Amino acid sequence: MKRSLRRALWAGAVVALAVAAVPMATASAAGSVTATFTKVQDWGTGHETKVTVTNGTSASVDTWRIEFDLPSGTTISTFWDADVTSSGNHYVAVKKSWAGPLAPGASFSWGYNGTGPYAAPLNCTVNGGSCSGDGTPPPTTTPPTTVSPTTTPPPTTPPPTTPPPSGDQKVVGYFAEWGVYARNYHVKNIHTSGSAAKLTHILYAFGNTAGGRCAIGDSYADYDKAYTAADSVDGVADTWDQPLRGSFNQLRKLKKMYPQLKVLWSFGGWTWSAGFTQAAQNPAAFADSCYNLVEDPRWADVFDGIDIDWEYPNACGLQCDSSGPNAFKNVISALRARFGSGALVTAAITADGTNGGKIDAADYAGAAPYLNWFMPMTYDYFGAWAAQGPTAPHSPLTSYAGIPQQGFYADAAIQKLKAKGIPANKLLLGIGFYGRGWTGVTQTAPGGTATGPAPGTYEQGVEDYKVLKNSCPATGTVAGTAYAKCGSNWWSYDTPSTIGGKMTYARNQGLGGAFFWELSGDTSNGELIGAIRGGLG
């Protein structure tokens, strides 16, 4: 599998999505408090809604309580930044204690993912007054259901900003350090897109593995780049003399804003995996170097652990490794011993499900006790490195008639890893936030011939989802993913709909959640990550 895209200097235009708003207001003696329900996205089987509470009065509002009904067939599955209880189709949302009073003219937003298509709420009240803002309760077709105040006991400790998906399933996204250049994607975009509220973990990619040691990947992007107030997560500009700047400081600010977020520093990747060969010769020394770098006092509070992306142990990626089948297990064991039980230690691994392939080349099961989870890279199976084709989806979930290589699909990898004894809840399903494509294609269905890679904005044969959804909308599906032919170009990529299907698979398989490469490929309002979060339920 190819992942040279990880080191390309990507950039991307922001694609704005239209939203549908349902304004609602509650009466107040002087002005009103309004609650606006905004449909952020709707993927058919689910939707995401943003609710904005605005204080239009001349006095501070200490608390608010929104009550509303949802039509039959529509339910709230997950929510964030408010406490929500329900009885039947009647919902009550109240302000979290950490949110503080709502000053005159100020707004506060919370959100939820729902099942079924988006539907506007009914019978909405705020603090007992009508959401229409006319000072009278709204007409109701049925008496409102009383929700007992004891349904949600007060927490003994401050709750996280947003709960993880039900069942503690993980939503893990890569942030590419080089994205701050041509792509103009910064940590702030994780916040403004709404993605931070839906993530459980961020993987900062990549650190280097030079000389068998963990090393800085890009010191300027990592901790030296000065951010203006406009580009900073919290609107505060960096100063010339502050001890930490760059993306590390921005991640620190993001974690303060979203306390549920954990951040891991990922080392290796397609380009920087060569150093693992030397690391395997002295795993303890490698682990010690990694610990000293990740726990450097300048940024120790930023990182909650380490991620290893070795492509590939005892097999070939950009270069070949012949460290033996035990090398991966030995390196991971040393990392766990050095970082201790309280840190996260994870690994992105091959998703080659063929017999005698890359999964079989290393003792991944032997490393399982030392890892919090594995991330089999269930994408990049096929692409325009095979310039003449055949065209094929790069991220098939299942096999299909005409697949160019048996075993090159997600379910084959998942079943092989489970058969080796790796617990299902330690496996995360991988999603690509980009497509791969060919040009010179005449056949719409997969399996056609081509003349080379399709043009891409920053790399031939590769394009972000946020671009493809408009430039070449999906027209068909195969093996649980989508494809489209536009002129002579043929692309395959995941959409909110196909991601929903993949998340159903992840739930049915008992997997620990999902991860994706990478954040900047999504739309400006986090359409794909919303589908992951909503699909995991």
Side-chain angles (χ1 to χ4, degrees), residues 23 38 73 75 78 125-126 130 133 158 193 199 207 212 234 270 318 324 347 369 387 391 399 411 426 429 478 528:
T38 304
T75 60
T78 58
T125 65
V126 180
S130 171
S193 65
L199 284 163
D234 60 358
W270 179 256
L318 182 60
T391 58
S399 186
D411 183 57
K426 281 196 173 187
L429 188 67
V478 61
L528 296 185

Side-chain angles (χ1 to χ4, degrees), residues 200-213:
T200 60
H201 301 79
I202 294 173
L203 300 174
Y204 186 84
F206 285 107
N208 205 342
T209 58
R213 300 289 189 270

Side-chain angles (χ1 to χ4, degrees), residues 103-423:
S107 297
F108 179 87
S109 294
W110 60 278
Y112 63 84
N113 285 331
T115 59
Y118 173 82
L122 307 171
N123 308 323
C124 183
T125 65
V126 180
N127 294 346
S130 171
C131 285
S132 65
D134 61 8
T136 59
T140 55
T141 54
T142 57
T145 304
T146 300
V147 180
S148 170
T150 61
T151 302
T152 305
T156 56
T157 58
T161 302
T162 179
S166 59
D168 198 30
Q169 290 182 302
K170 299 165 188 68
V171 179
V172 183
Y174 277 95
F175 177 89
E177 68 183 355
W178 57 91
V180 303
Y181 298 119
R183 293 182 72 81
N184 197 31
Y185 189 90
H186 305 278
V187 174
K188 180 180 179 179
N189 296 98
I190 307 175
H191 164 61
T192 58
S193 65
S195 300
K198 300 163 194 155
L199 284 163
T200 60
H201 301 79
I202 294 173
L203 300 174
Y204 186 84
F206 285 107
N208 205 342
T209 58
R213 300 289 189 270
C214 280
I216 288 288
D218 181 340
S219 60
Y220 178 74
D222 293 348
Y223 58 82
D224 193 35
K225 175 178 167 61
Y227 275 83
T228 64
D231 291 335
S232 181
V233 168
D234 60 358
V236 178
D238 290 340
T239 61
W240 67 270
D241 58 345
Q242 71 185 53
L244 185 68
R245 299 185 296 193
S247 293
F248 287 0
N249 185 51
Q250 294 298 306
L251 286 167
R252 174 184 285 164
K253 293 181 176 186
L254 189 72
K255 289 181 68 176
K256 185 177 181 180
M257 194 177 292
Y258 298 91
Q260 94 285 353
L261 270 177
K262 304 294 184 183
V263 179
L264 294 85
W265 196 344
S266 183
F267 289 83
W270 179 256
T271 303
W272 285 345
S273 283
F276 287 121
T277 298
Q278 189 173 344
Q281 298 172 14
N282 191 340
F286 173 72
D288 194 54
S289 75
C290 298
Y291 181 85
N292 291 337
L293 182 59
V294 174
E295 295 297 322
D296 185 296
R298 290 172 290 177
W299 50 69
D301 61 314
V302 174
F303 297 106
D304 300 283
I306 186 172
D307 173 62
I308 296 300
D309 187 352
W310 184 352
E311 303 183 27
Y312 298 96
N314 204 36
C316 295
L318 182 60
Q319 55 279 313
C320 292
D321 173 75
S322 56
S323 300
N326 294 324
F328 180 78
K329 177 185 68 176
N330 294 341
V331 167
I332 297 300
S333 173
L335 286 167
R336 173 56 72 195
R338 186 66 183 89
F339 276 82
S341 60
L344 295 170
V345 181
T346 68
I349 65 171
T350 177
D352 176 0
T354 61
N355 291 327
K358 291 183 176 68
I359 288 178
D360 291 331
D363 185 8
Y364 290 110
Y370 309 108
L371 287 168
N372 292 89
W373 66 78
F374 293 85
M375 292 172 287
M377 296 176 283
T378 49
Y379 39 77
D380 288 351
Y381 283 109
F382 307 106
W385 50 84
Q388 278 70 53
T391 58
H394 81 84
S395 188
L397 177 62
T398 59
S399 186
Y400 65 95
I403 191 170
Q405 172 66 59
Q406 281 299 328
F408 272 26
Y409 55 94
D411 183 57
I414 296 297
Q415 300 311 323
K416 179 179 276 288
L417 291 165
K418 289 169 69 173
K420 289 180 178 294
I422 297 176

Side-chain angles (χ1 to χ4, degrees), residues 47 68-76 88-91 112 115-123:
H47 61 277
F68 58 97
D69 298 325
L70 288 178
S72 177
T74 303
T75 60
I76 292 178
N89 69 334
H90 186 75
Y91 291 85
Y112 63 84
T115 59
Y118 173 82
L122 307 171
N123 308 323

Side-chain angles (χ1 to χ4, degrees), residues 11-110:
V14 174
V15 180
L17 295 184
V19 295
V22 182
M24 301 177 183
T26 180
S28 176
S32 61
V33 176
T34 62
T36 303
F37 286 68
T38 304
K39 180 182 72 175
V40 177
Q41 58 180 312
D42 188 333
W43 53 92
T45 58
H47 61 277
E48 179 187 354
T49 300
K50 177 182 179 180
V51 185
T52 302
V53 184
T54 302
N55 181 9
T57 75
S58 58
S60 178
V61 174
D62 291 331
T63 190
W64 47 260
R65 174 187 176 97
I66 304 174
E67 296 195 34
F68 58 97
D69 298 325
L70 288 178
S72 177
T74 303
T75 60
I76 292 178
S77 55
T78 58
F79 51 88
W80 51 92
D81 295 344
D83 290 321
V84 181
T85 56
S86 66
S87 177
N89 69 334
H90 186 75
Y91 291 85
V92 176
V94 297
K95 182 179 75 67
K96 283 185 172 289
S97 59
W98 53 257
L102 198 59
S107 297
F108 179 87
S109 294
W110 60 278

